[in-house]
Amino acid sequence: MANVVVIGAQWGDEGKGKIVDWLAARADLVVRFQGGHNAGHTLVVGNQTYKLSLLPSGIVRGTLSAIGNGVVLDPWALADEIARLRAQGVEISPERLQVAETCPLILPFHRDLDALREDASGAGRIGTTRRGIGPAYEDKVGRRALRLCDLADLAAAAPQIDRLLAHHNALRAGFGVPAIDRAALLAELAAIAPVILPFAAPVWETLARHRRQRARILFEGAQGVLLDVDHGTYPFVTSSNTVAGTAASGSGTGPGALSYVLGIVKAYTTRVGSGPFPTELDDAVGARLGERGREFGTVTGRRRRCGWFDAALVRQSVQMAGIDGIALTKLDVLDGFRELLVCTGYEVDGERLPHLPASAARQAAARPIYERMEGWQESTAGARSWADLPANAIKYVRRVEELIDCPVALVSTSPERDDTILVRDPFRD
């Protein structure tokens, strides 16, 4: 049996939640390995809709779920999310959920700093979710972070807290805002500690035990490859590595545990926030894609920018992240288009390129080179086999495979978990 890593292969929002939920039915353990509560996964199960940010998607299935050390953890956001899902009837206990003891914490002043920077950046703003993700990762790398295990003994963590506050108070002074109230912060941490600490565990040990038992492990990524801090459209990226290799370091296991990488790809392209987007459609077609695809961010509620499928960018993601197969989602959103366009490369200052250039200025100048395909008028919504798809829809999927140089493993045709066409089983490939 293979262990599967699920990552987004575009700019996030590709429909990872549904695919992970679908795969979780056959997994023994689901692990989040990077990002924070800036992630947003929506699961539709019958008449019930679940919105997740920190919790792994397997939690709804009752599958053992873990949050790895590569995640930055807002303890108050986690407590709220647990309470919300419990109210929807989902059982969440330390027997079903583990959180790595070494997770760095997102604290209230991280959110403050995130917002202060965005507001001061003017036209140069990144478009963050203002949830403190970036500042928390900075403190982790700067060795100033408080970690989940520190909540068990705040007195012993006093030197680390003082070091952390000295750094942030200097930044706050530069923005002209008051220093952090140390006593109030300690009171908040003392109050949240008993809520979160029961879930703290050595996740690396749980992973090692499951590997010895030859259990099936599903590693759940957040955001997408094009938002990777090293490989994405920098500086308009997230603050973590989103590629598949991070699943090992972000959970506490070796790279040999990563058997199969499944990239999630929308049948068109979307993006939230600022940054280059060569195939963006600021017209009626873009509005139609957004309306039919219900393109609003799960976390922020922001309207997503929409455009044609960018095969050149996905091909780039496939090569950078070592993707073995893709899950093509939201195929049904393309129903009714007479003509579909697919980007196969770019023109930048008169030069034709097969991939997006590295510099932000050249990315902004990139113009798509399109291939035109005939659309279909029949409905693909709810299709569960190739026989249910129109001929032109099958041609579209096959052409996508050719252009991105990667096979399609799954096709999703609605938000419902069972409206999925299985082409290749990631747990057995």
Side-chain angles (χ1 to χ4, degrees), residues 260-294:
Y260 185 97
V261 180
L262 180 68
I264 314 300
V265 176
K266 238 174 223 171
Y268 49 102
T269 309
T270 63
R271 178 166 199 168
V272 171
S274 306
F277 187 171
T279 66
E280 182 173 11
L281 296 169
D282 189 18
D283 59 12
V285 174
R288 180 179 175 184
L289 288 171
E291 181 180 340
R292 294 200 60 190
R294 291 171 288 199

Side-chain angles (χ1 to χ4, degrees), residues 348-349 357-366:
V348 184
D349 300 327
S359 87
R362 297 198 79 203
Q363 288 176 354

